[in-house]
Amino acid sequence: MKVLITDFDLFAKVGGGQTFYRSLIRKNPDIDFYYLIDKEERATKRPDNAHGVPFQEKYFLADLNNFFDVNPPKWVYRSFVRASNIAASVAGMEFDLVDSPDYEQWAIFLRPALDYHRVKFAKIALSLHGKISTTLKLDWFNKGKENIPLELEEWKQYATVDLRYGISKSYIDEWQSLSPFSAHYYHPLHFFALPQPLEAIASGDRPDLNFIGRTERRKGPDIFIDIAWWLDKDLYNEANIIGPHSFNDTGTISSESYLRSMLGDRQSPVKFLPPKPQQELMGLFARKTVTFVPSRYDTLNLVALESLFSGCPTVIGGGAGVCRLLKEDFPDVPFVEIDLENIYSCLAAIEHILRDYAGYRRQLVDCVKNSAAIADSPVLADIYQQNSQYEQEIRDELQNWYAQLMGYWVSTQENVSFLQPLKAQLKPTLKQIKNNLKSTAGQLKGRVLQPLGDDRNAQLVKAPNLLKKYKETFNATEQTAKDLAEKIQMGWRLGSGYESEFQGVRGKLATNYRIDRVRLWRELARIEELRSNTLVSATYKLRAMRALGADQFGDLPFVLRTLTEYGFPKEMAAISALYGQPSEREERCHSLIEQARLDNLTNPAGDEYEIWDDRRGDGPYRATIIVSLYNAAAKLPLFLKTLQHQTLIKRGEAEVVLVDSGSPGNEYEVFKDLAPTLGYPLLYARSPQRETIQSAWNRGIKLAKSPYLAFLGVDETILPDCLEILAGELDQDPELDWAIGHSLVTNVDMQGGWVSDIMPYDRTGYEQDLVYLETCYLSWVGALYRKSIHERFGYYDQSFRGAGDTEFKNRVMPFIKSKVVDKMLGLFWNYPDERTTQSPATEIEDMRAWYLHRTLAGVKYAFQRRSPEEVENLLYHCLGYRKSYCKHTSTDFDHAYNLALYLEKVNPHAEALQYAPGIKALLGTYRSLDWLPKLSKFSPLNSMLTARKLTKQWQQEHQQHWPKDRLFAPHYSIFNDNRHEQHSFLWFTDITASKK
């Protein structure tokens, strides 16, 4: 039997498909196999039944540049060219069968191409290795985007061939769900020889963890990094990623860059090692190692078989087809399967291996030796002789497409046949030149746009067009709801990067203005009021007041009336104090702050519960995790299962208190199903009616049986040793009230699977007073504090809906001591659904939770029991500090101004007061940039130039006298000030109904 394999350089390339075909050839010596040689050396050693056919290029994509028709579509041109060149390379030859891999799509045109080039054959078989469309969709660079043309090409290919075979039952089933045509199972043992197992050489070292494979996302290298991060570091020696990287289409970004960023965020020491040849891998499997192949999607995975049957403990992702093979054909051979919906569920099994590596390996080797699987499927020759099954309609369509393309190609080839050899010779060079030009163009574009990365430069370039853009926006019609929706979007583009991904460089230069913001905010407020979004309107008008430090436009009555209508009486009082009579501001603000302290000294939580399910013991416990539940049923299982890995929970030293705040979901049903399997102390309590998160937290405080408290949502979690580390810090220092580590914000899918990192909260260089500049420096995720804080200084204010945590910190910070542990301990899971705290209502609540404490009265409340030197220290920070979620230096001239006013009262001779004139001048300058009363074509540009000149002058003056021991020196770049970094984004309200 003569078989043509339509793949290239089988004995030179390193890849899963080529490895399969090499094994296929060696295991079937009675079949003569032919394949294409492109770059493989002719002298390459091959089996006697392997015959290389030189690849000839006669057809080129450029030949079809001027072909225009509805059909065939452009996305099949490449397959036409490749199939035609393959056929031209074997023109006039004869085969019994053609075997084509499905990781290429040229089989859609193989039949007509072979016929056209007079190649005799009986059938075309499709070898099933994996859908490339799925691989691309899962990879780092496509972010889950579909490739519909590629999916159609794969489907047509599957339908047009004569027969199909695969080495993975799972992948065959995947196709069976999409097509009526069956595929034949070719058992891996027909072509794969199982290695002989070896017990590890005796060693006192801890085991190494090795991920082996390409670092495509579907292979799960990120899962490996996460698991290694969660495992006890004392249980293993090294963690390594061994294998080649994947690249984007242009070859400019690799999977390595994603993974290195991930490792940096996790403070992880995982190493990258180059790919290893087969012999070296087998040597690794014989050492004290654990192999990881945590695949999300893999038709089989031969590395897993090689590792496992070498006697090496192996951890396999549930998306790998090899899991099914092992369960069905080797049920007694142990391996660890990763549940892709809860990757942390495998931690206990992996830790068991690491703690007793020698014992586990002996058991594995014994099981491998005693296993006896039979390849219960047809051999290759029998599969090749199966009857044809195909879709005639698809085959006819592809035949017609091929005839059209070939007819066009023939019509263009008159008198140019002499160019064909030259084209083939020049193609590699031309391709390299094209790629170099693309790369150069990209670099030049980057250099041109690099200065615009500085907002000062970008705003200067945009400034002359601001008046024109305003006129376009403000003059747009607003007669209908659709008009208003279009107009509000024009405003969004003007003041943000809304839809910037759809705009070129020129379009982006006409968006995201950051000067004269007050005008835009007030216009957005007017439009939102017309759209009946009065709370959003009030929010924008409040921003204008904050930016200018006063109610310059008489908007206060509208704002107060709106807040009354929406049930914000305490915010109304705070805003009235802030922007009412200036002479009364300090007294009224201080009175509100002090009254809030007195009002919350006792716990107002009720004792009535609709559901009470207490599965705790008598205690005592060291720590309590308090969780507020509302619409949390879908996320609750992963959250509760993840807490099982807490070291304090494992030892029975921590409890979990779940407070259902009148949720409409079925959280309790989920809890009842899970609780018996969790094995740790739990309390489920449901309030009689809907309550705020702060009410739930106060209930949890009352119900806690431990001295230390942690608070989490079901979209947050903590690393296994978090509670133990932080409880140890509190134990060691009786004066310490609150301990926290670093935390990481990640994007996850709806099942909680990692998608990408967003940002870390890096609290390096922590000082408690930094919380007055950036509230996230002290938080709850990855934190633990003393329950006695509440008994001494008060409880959460239950009137808040979303900003109560911020207000609580500002209220108790003058009385507590906190510290940061230099370790990543907290983890945020950003699910695709929106967080409830992201709303205009929360921005309004921040007026009394945050901005009230930034007034002169707030400064007095914070520092009246402290030394002037501490006030000076915070003032220095205002002129140069780093936010926990940023890497650049920020400023805060609004807060610096009030600190200077207070410092002048308590210590008029303080050295830091030398910066007060500059602070006052720059605050005025920044305010003037937010409101340009007399707008003309050049006034924005003039204002920007003036502001840049003044900031440079004051920066230089401040740097001359700056204390050398400060971590950050003054760096005044206008748009790095807090007024541009907090509550500066726009609210993208719902416009879907208006578009209809």
Side-chain angles (χ1 to χ4, degrees):
M1 178 180 283
K2 293 173 64 178
V3 173
L4 171 66
I5 296 173
T6 61
D7 202 356
F8 295 79
D9 302 334
L10 296 185
F11 290 87
K13 282 186 178 180
V14 177
Q18 290 76 30
T19 300
F20 165 75
Y21 277 125
R22 287 196 295 270
S23 298
L24 198 74
I25 292 168
R26 291 190 177 104
K27 289 289 185 176
N28 292 274
D30 296 333
I31 300 177
D32 280 315
F33 291 95
Y34 295 77
Y35 67 97
L36 285 306
I37 290 179
D38 185 16
K39 297 177 181 177
E40 183 178 301
E41 297 291 335
R42 288 184 176 273
T44 299
K45 189 175 181 181
R46 310 176 185 90
D48 293 339
N49 63 328
H51 311 283
V53 178
F55 178 62
Q56 302 176 24
E57 284 196 275
K58 179 179 179 181
Y59 306 90
F60 299 88
L61 270 176
D63 298 338
L64 303 176
N65 281 348
N66 296 316
F67 177 80
F68 299 105
D69 208 338
V70 176
N71 278 318
K74 194 175 182 69
W75 41 266
V76 301
Y77 291 5
R78 179 181 177 275
S79 293
F80 164 81
V81 169
R82 295 295 271 174
S84 297
N85 282 326
I86 289 170
S89 301
V90 294
M93 296 179 68
E94 183 176 347
F95 303 98
D96 296 291
L97 181 133
V98 177
D99 188 317
S100 191
D102 73 340
Y103 47 76
E104 300 288 356
Q105 292 73 51
W106 49 60
I108 63 171
F109 288 134
L110 270 180
R111 179 171 294 277
L114 294 169
D115 287 342
Y116 181 83
H117 292 86
R118 294 182 173 82
V119 180
K120 293 184 179 180
F121 66 99
K123 297 174 185 174
I124 297 176
L126 189 66
S127 182
L128 304 179
H129 296 265
K131 294 173 71 175
I132 296 302
S133 59
T134 303
T135 297
L136 295 177
K137 184 177 180 180
L138 290 175
D139 210 6
W140 308 101
F141 320 108
N142 293 289
K143 296 179 171 55
K145 293 179 182 176
E146 290 182 309
N147 188 330
I148 294 175
L150 180 56
E151 292 176 3
L152 278 171
E153 203 169 7
E154 289 171 333
W155 180 78
K156 289 179 182 294
Q157 176 172 255
Y158 190 89
T160 193
V161 297
D162 294 282
L163 56 92
R164 307 136 201 91
Y165 73 96
I167 59 175
S168 166
K169 288 183 178 180
S170 299
Y171 186 45
I172 289 172
D173 287 348
E174 183 182 338
W175 268 113
Q176 294 288 192
S177 67
L178 302 172
S179 171
F181 302 117
S182 61
H184 304 283
Y185 178 52
Y186 186 56
H187 199 290
L189 292 186
H190 282 313
F191 67 90
F192 178 76
L194 296 175
Q196 292 298 310
L198 290 171
E199 291 187 25
I201 299 171
S203 171
D205 295 336
R206 295 166 294 170
D208 287 341
L209 312 181
N210 292 325
F211 167 92
I212 300 176
R214 288 184 65 83
T215 57
E216 299 168 347
R217 186 172 177 272
R218 71 180 179 94
K219 293 284 190 178
D222 53 300
I223 295 175
F224 171 72
I225 289 173
D226 232 3
I227 289 174
W229 184 36
W230 278 65
L231 286 170
D232 184 345
K233 307 301 182 294
D234 293 333
L235 295 179
Y236 64 89
N237 181 34
E238 288 185 350
N240 304 303
I241 293 177
I242 303 170
H245 301 297
S246 61
F247 291 82
N248 64 348
D249 292 340
T250 59
T252 54
I253 305 174
S254 77
S255 51
E256 183 181 6
S257 62
Y258 286 88
L259 297 174
R260 285 200 181 277
S261 174
M262 189 179 180
L263 290 171
D265 289 340
R266 285 159 181 75
Q267 303 172 323
S268 175
V270 173
K271 297 179 181 178
F272 287 94
L273 300 177
K276 294 185 180 295
Q278 184 71 16
Q279 188 174 357
E280 286 189 36
L281 284 180
M282 298 308 292
L284 273 183
F285 301 149
R287 289 164 51 188
K288 199 169 184 179
T289 61
V290 179
T291 300
F292 283 75
V293 282
S295 301
R296 290 182 171 89
Y297 179 80
D298 225 339
T299 51
L300 189 66
N301 199 301
L302 295 178
V303 169
L305 286 177
E306 290 171 333
S307 170
L308 194 62
F309 283 86
S310 295
C312 184
T314 305
V315 182
I316 308 173
V322 72
C323 290
R324 179 171 172 181
L325 174 72
L326 291 169
K327 291 174 184 177
E328 292 182 358
D329 292 358
F330 303 95
D332 296 326
V333 175
F335 69 97
V336 177
E337 181 176 359
I338 300 173
D339 179 357
L340 296 178
E341 293 190 357
N342 178 13
I343 65 170
Y344 309 113
S345 62
C346 67
L347 292 176
I350 297 172
E351 288 187 355
H352 169 70
I353 294 172
L354 298 176
R355 292 181 192 280
D356 183 23
Y357 185 88
Y360 182 90
R361 182 152 188 154
R362 278 195 301 270
Q363 179 191 3
L364 172 59
V365 169
D366 289 343
C367 291
V368 168
K369 288 179 178 178
N370 293 328
S371 65
I374 300 174
D376 56 348
S377 72
V379 296
L380 187 66
D382 291 342
I383 290 175
Y384 281 166
Q385 293 171 5
Q386 296 296 315
N387 293 329
S388 298
Q389 287 183 312
Y390 56 88
E391 178 62 56
Q392 187 65 52
E393 184 179 345
I394 298 296
R395 187 174 282 189
D396 291 343
E397 177 186 49
L398 294 172
Q399 172 67 50
N400 290 334
W401 286 3
Y402 188 86
Q404 283 180 266
L405 290 170
M406 183 55 75
Y408 173 79
W409 183 87
V410 170
S411 71
T412 64
Q413 299 305 301
E414 296 177 5
N415 302 320
V416 295
S417 59
F418 70 92
L419 291 175
Q420 294 302 332
L422 185 61
K423 276 187 178 181
Q425 292 176 24
L426 290 176
K427 183 183 176 183
T429 303
L430 292 173
K431 187 175 182 181
Q432 184 63 45
I433 292 172
K434 183 179 178 182
N435 290 337
N436 289 342
L437 287 173
K438 274 186 176 180
S439 176
T440 303
Q443 291 173 7
L444 287 173
K445 183 179 178 182
R447 288 173 188 169
V448 170
L449 295 179
Q450 187 176 9
L452 299 182
D454 185 331
D455 270 318
R456 293 173 298 178
N457 296 332
Q459 298 302 316
L460 270 177
V461 173
K462 297 175 184 182
N465 290 321
L466 181 57
L467 180 62
K468 177 184 175 183
K469 299 306 297 183
Y470 268 142
K471 285 182 176 179
E472 290 176 3
T473 303
F474 295 163
N475 292 333
T477 184
E478 48 188 61
Q479 291 183 335
T480 67
K482 185 178 180 182
D483 292 339
L484 290 172
E486 291 175 355
K487 189 162 186 171
I488 200 78
Q489 290 179 85
M490 293 176 71
W492 293 345
R493 294 185 193 98
L494 196 59
S496 74
Y498 179 72
E499 293 186 339
S500 62
E501 67 270 23
F502 305 122
Q503 302 171 24
V505 174
R506 186 174 297 178
K508 289 179 180 178
L509 287 175
T511 63
N512 203 12
Y513 284 90
R514 300 180 70 179
I515 55 177
D516 200 29
R517 296 184 300 169
V518 168
R519 188 185 312 276
L520 177 63
W521 288 339
R522 298 192 72 250
E523 174 66 0
L524 292 174
R526 188 184 67 81
I527 299 170
E528 292 291 15
E529 187 178 0
L530 289 174
R531 299 178 70 227
S532 300
N533 293 328
T534 51
L535 190 64
V536 180
S537 177
T539 306
Y540 282 130
K541 291 183 177 183
L542 267 174
R543 282 194 187 176
M545 295 182 203
R546 284 204 309 269
L548 302 179
D551 177 25
Q552 290 194 18
F553 304 99
D555 290 329
L556 186 59
F558 169 82
V559 170
L560 297 180
R561 185 171 65 252
T562 302
L563 296 186
T564 301
E565 179 185 343
Y566 279 88
F568 289 95
K570 292 188 176 182
E571 285 69 27
M572 185 183 71
I575 291 164
S576 179
L578 282 164
Y579 303 111
Q581 289 294 330
S583 61
E584 301 174 1
R585 177 181 297 176
E586 183 177 355
E587 182 182 348
R588 292 177 67 187
C589 289
H590 191 271
S591 175
L592 288 172
I593 294 171
E594 185 60 27
Q595 191 59 50
R597 185 185 70 82
L598 296 173
D599 288 345
N600 292 286
L601 288 175
T602 58
N603 193 338
D607 296 315
E608 306 81 21
Y609 291 96
E610 186 177 286
I611 296 174
W612 178 270
D613 190 341
D614 195 347
R615 306 189 184 204
R616 302 174 295 177
D618 295 332
Y621 303 110
R622 288 180 70 195
T624 302
I625 300 173
I626 297 170
V627 187
S628 171
L629 300 179
Y630 192 82
N631 282 335
K635 302 167 187 173
L636 188 57
L638 177 62
F639 173 78
L640 291 176
K641 290 175 183 177
T642 302
L643 290 183
Q644 285 180 300
H645 305 294
Q646 282 299 307
T647 53
L648 283 193
I649 283 181
K650 285 181 178 180
R651 295 204 297 267
E653 297 179 18
E655 60 174 350
V656 177
V657 173
L658 304 173
V659 182
D660 180 337
S661 300
S663 174
N666 65 327
E667 287 86 348
Y668 186 52
E669 298 303 316
V670 173
F671 170 81
K672 286 192 295 184
D673 288 341
L674 277 174
T677 67
L678 296 173
Y680 58 78
L682 284 158
L683 167 64
Y684 191 103
R686 176 182 170 90
S687 61
Q689 63 280 321
R690 174 75 173 106
E691 292 183 339
T692 66
I693 187 173
Q694 270 67 52
S695 299
W697 284 7
N698 281 338
R699 285 182 181 269
I701 294 164
K702 184 180 282 190
L703 298 172
K705 293 184 177 181
S706 76
Y708 303 150
L709 305 178
F711 294 81
L712 293 173
V714 293
D715 52 0
E716 299 156 348
T717 193
I718 46 181
L719 273 291
D721 54 358
C722 174
L723 294 181
E724 184 171 9
I725 289 172
L726 298 179
E729 294 288 337
L730 294 172
D731 287 344
Q732 290 173 19
D733 185 354
E735 295 185 0
L736 181 64
D737 295 297
W738 198 321
I740 186 171
H742 310 299
S743 49
L744 178 64
V745 185
T746 65
N747 281 320
V748 297
D749 57 30
M750 285 307 297
Q751 288 71 46
W754 182 86
V755 174
S756 63
D757 290 346
I758 300 175
M759 62 184 183
Y761 287 112
D762 178 4
R763 300 178 173 95
T764 303
Y766 177 81
E767 293 179 24
Q768 185 168 301
D769 286 341
L770 285 171
V771 184
Y772 289 119
L773 304 181
E774 196 267 284
T775 184
C776 296
Y777 264 107
L778 189 63
S779 191
W780 283 260
V781 180
L784 194 69
Y785 68 67
R786 293 186 191 277
K787 183 179 179 181
S788 64
I789 285 179
H790 298 290
E791 297 160 5
R792 292 177 285 152
F793 310 121
Y795 295 81
Y796 292 101
D797 186 336
Q798 299 186 171
S799 65
F800 280 99
R801 308 172 199 184
D805 51 353
T806 299
E807 187 274 341
F808 175 75
K809 281 185 290 190
N810 280 320
R811 177 157 38 91
V812 304
M813 271 202 305
F815 313 103
I816 67 170
K817 176 184 176 183
S818 61
K819 73 172 291 187
V820 160
V821 176
D822 187 20
K823 188 171 183 181
M824 191 68 73
L825 296 177
L827 189 61
F828 293 83
W829 290 325
N830 259 27
Y831 285 88
D833 54 336
E834 187 178 356
R835 284 175 169 242
T836 56
T837 54
Q838 295 175 338
S839 69
T842 304
E843 183 176 342
I844 288 170
E845 285 191 339
D846 270 331
M847 295 305 299
R848 71 175 167 117
W850 176 250
Y851 290 101
L852 193 62
H853 285 268
R854 290 168 58 79
T855 62
L856 181 58
V859 172
K860 178 181 178 181
Y861 177 82
F863 288 98
Q864 61 188 348
R865 299 169 185 83
R866 302 172 63 186
S867 69
E869 289 74 21
E870 291 173 296
V871 182
E872 278 191 277
N873 182 55
L874 184 55
L875 192 148
Y876 281 119
H877 280 307
C878 287
L879 304 186
Y881 74 101
R882 181 188 63 83
K883 285 178 161 61
S884 67
Y885 51 85
C886 296
K887 294 182 179 179
H888 66 262
T889 304
S890 298
T891 59
D892 194 333
F893 284 103
D894 286 88
H895 203 48
Y897 179 73
N898 285 323
L899 284 166
L901 290 178
Y902 180 74
L903 187 59
E904 197 166 14
K905 289 183 178 180
V906 298
N907 186 11
H909 304 293
E911 187 175 340
L913 285 175
Q914 65 181 307
Y915 304 102
I919 291 169
K920 184 177 180 180
L922 287 173
L923 178 58
T925 299
Y926 287 8
R927 284 176 174 171
S928 69
L929 276 181
D930 272 331
W931 171 238
L932 307 177
K934 296 179 181 179
L935 187 63
S936 64
K937 181 172 182 179
F938 294 109
S939 62
L941 178 61
N942 291 333
S943 296
M944 270 300 303
L945 290 171
T946 301
R948 288 191 65 164
K949 181 180 178 181
L950 284 172
T951 53
K952 184 177 181 180
Q953 288 175 351
W954 283 112
Q955 176 180 297
Q956 290 175 342
E957 181 171 329
H958 288 179
Q959 286 177 344
Q960 289 177 1
H961 307 286
W962 196 251
K964 294 182 179 180
D965 60 344
R966 303 297 303 182
L967 182 61
F968 296 103
H971 177 68
Y972 307 154
S973 60
I974 303 174
F975 302 105
N976 70 333
D977 191 70
N978 190 66
R979 63 173 41 231
H980 287 278
E981 295 182 339
Q982 186 175 20
H983 291 143
S984 61
F985 50 84
L986 303 183
W987 292 111
F988 299 147
T989 49
D990 184 21
I991 57 171
T992 53
S994 305
K995 285 185 173 182
K996 295 179 181 177

